[in-house]
Amino acid sequence: MARKKRSSQVLEKAVRRAAGINSIDPNLDLGNGLTQPTFSTLIERMRSRENAYNSALSNLDKLYSEMLQAERELADMAEHMLLGVATRYGKSSVEYGMAGGVPKNQRRKGLRGESPTPSFEQL
């Protein structure tokens, strides 16, 4: 599932406002640093940061997908390795247990409706 990209309502509103102010005077100076060029520069900086953020999310989604694929491949190979040990040494062997399997002769077979671990009441 891709992460939701961000869009800024403040940026959209500022772009519309800048277009309106630009129609008044492209070099409007209201004093105290409130100028149309400064406003436009700040809008572009915000747009650039938003694009960088959304690009980073896309890269993160890609890395996450690649990691999940590698995880599936690893799980598949781990299963095949265990099955290979079982084929070579048998499912009741010590080697099968050393590889992470539960040897056949050590498996618990519980009755239906009974939990596989004994409770303190049964001891």
Side-chain angles (χ1 to χ4, degrees):
M1 181 175 96
R3 287 166 177 74
K4 186 176 178 185
K5 306 302 183 270
R6 188 177 194 292
S7 62
S8 173
Q9 291 180 352
V10 172
L11 177 61
E12 293 170 9
K13 185 176 179 181
V15 168
R16 287 191 303 271
R17 184 161 293 160
I21 292 171
N22 200 34
S23 68
I24 297 171
D25 181 7
N27 294 313
L28 183 66
D29 186 350
L30 300 172
N32 294 328
L34 300 174
T35 66
Q36 175 61 16
T38 304
F39 191 44
S40 295
T41 302
L42 195 56
I43 288 171
E44 288 308 313
R45 186 171 12 151
M46 174 57 193
R47 184 175 286 140
S48 170
R49 298 253 168 95
E50 184 179 69
N51 288 338
Y53 176 81
N54 288 334
S55 293
L57 285 180
S58 294
N59 289 335
L60 187 60
D61 287 339
K62 181 182 175 204
L63 289 172
Y64 183 67
S65 295
E66 291 171 357
M67 183 193 67
L68 291 178
Q69 177 62 32
E71 186 177 45
R72 284 189 293 268
E73 290 172 8
L74 179 61
D76 192 42
M77 185 161 187
E79 182 181 8
H80 282 91
M81 293 295 289
L82 182 61
L83 291 173
V85 170
T87 301
R88 176 166 288 175
Y89 298 103
K91 284 191 173 182
S92 293
S93 67
V94 173
E95 291 83 1
Y96 184 71
M98 290 169 60
V102 178
K104 249 181 163 179
N105 55 5
Q106 292 181 5
R107 289 192 185 139
R108 292 189 90 176
K109 293 183 181 177
L111 299 174
R112 284 188 176 192
E114 194 176 294
S115 66
T117 57
S119 66
F120 290 108
E121 296 168 357
Q122 293 173 346
L123 295 176

